[in-house]
Amino acid sequence: PLVWQWNHNPDNRHWSLNERAGYLRITTSRVDTSFYLVKNVLTQRTIGPACTGSTKIDVSNMKEGDFAGLTLFQKRYGQVGVKFENGVKSIVMISAESDKPVEIQRIPLTENTVYLKADCDFRDKADIAIFYYSLDGKTWKTIGSPLHMTYTLPHFMGYRFGLFNYASKTSGGAVDFDFFHIALA
C-alpha cells in the first residue's frame, strides 16, 4: 500500500515477494560506501505520539561484508541489524546521531533468524528512539544507546522506519524479511 516508499528509485531486479513465498527478499546489487546511497531500502513513516516497529529477518544467505536490518532513517539515523564480517555474523547498533555513523554495540550471533525492533517516543518533544533485538520474538534486549532524533530537511521530513540490506564488499547476498509490524506504543 501507499504507506510504503522506497528511499530511492528501486532496482526491481533486486527485491522480490516471490523468490520466497511470504517474505520480502532484498538482494544486494552493488557495493555501497554510505548508507545514504543504498537502494532498495523500503520505508514507512513513523507515527506519534509513540510507536514501535519490528521485523524478523533470515540472514542465512548473506555474503561477507553485508549489513541488513531495521533503521530509523533521516540524516542522523540509527540502525539495528546483522553484519557479516570475517566469516562471523553479529547483531550491531549503529548511530549517525553526530552526522557520522558509529558502531555503538556488537553482539555475536550464531542463529540465522533474528527479531529487530525500534521504539520511538515523540511525546513532549522527547524524540528518542531505542533499539532492541530478540532471538525468540518474546524476550527483547536493548542494544546500543538511545538515538536522539533531530529533524533536518536534506532527505525528507520526519523519521522513517526502513528495512535494508546492503553490501560493503561483494554484491549478491540476500536477506528475507518475514514481516514488519508498526503499532502505537
Side-chain angles (χ1 to χ4, degrees):
L2 295 177
V3 296
W4 290 102
Q5 292 180 339
W6 296 101
N7 66 318
H8 293 289
N9 291 333
D11 182 342
N12 292 325
R13 298 168 299 158
H14 296 284
W15 69 271
S16 172
L17 296 173
N18 299 320
E19 286 184 40
R20 184 175 176 190
Y23 290 79
L24 165 67
R25 173 168 288 174
I26 299 177
T27 305
T28 62
S29 62
R30 64 186 191 187
V31 172
D32 285 301
T33 57
S34 166
F35 186 58
Y36 300 119
L37 302 174
V38 175
K39 285 194 166 230
N40 292 355
V41 177
L42 187 58
T43 71
Q44 193 171 131
R45 193 173 289 283
T46 57
I47 51 179
C51 63
T52 296
S54 61
T55 190
K56 176 183 174 186
I57 63 173
D58 180 336
V59 297
S60 56
N61 293 310
M62 292 179 90
K63 286 193 171 185
E64 182 72 26
D66 287 359
F67 182 31
L70 177 67
T71 185
L72 279 165
F73 196 40
Q74 180 32 290
K75 181 179 180 189
R76 295 181 178 169
Y77 60 87
Q79 299 168 308
V80 61
V82 176
K83 275 192 176 182
F84 189 27
E85 295 177 323
N86 302 315
V88 176
K89 292 176 185 160
S90 302
I91 303 167
V92 299
M93 188 272 174
I94 303 287
S95 175
E97 185 177 323
S98 64
D99 282 334
K100 180 182 175 192
V102 176
E103 184 177 301
I104 304 298
Q105 187 174 1
R106 177 181 291 252
I107 297 165
L109 177 67
T110 56
E111 292 81 0
N112 282 320
T113 302
V114 65
Y115 298 79
L116 307 169
K117 180 170 78 166
D119 289 343
C120 301
D121 185 356
F122 303 106
R123 293 173 287 213
D124 298 321
K125 297 182 182 180
D127 300 330
I128 297 290
I130 299 173
F131 294 89
Y132 303 86
Y133 73 95
S134 174
L135 300 178
D136 61 9
K138 297 173 185 159
T139 305
W140 293 93
K141 296 179 182 178
T142 59
I143 184 168
S145 60
L147 173 70
H148 298 276
M149 295 181 281
T150 56
Y151 302 93
T152 60
L153 293 176
H155 293 278
F156 36 72
M157 289 182 53
Y159 272 78
R160 301 183 73 82
F161 289 109
L163 306 177
F164 69 90
N165 180 28
Y166 72 95
S168 67
K169 292 187 178 180
T170 305
S171 64
V175 171
D176 295 321
F177 293 85
D178 187 359
F179 61 80
F180 175 76
H181 297 149
I182 188 170
L184 290 171

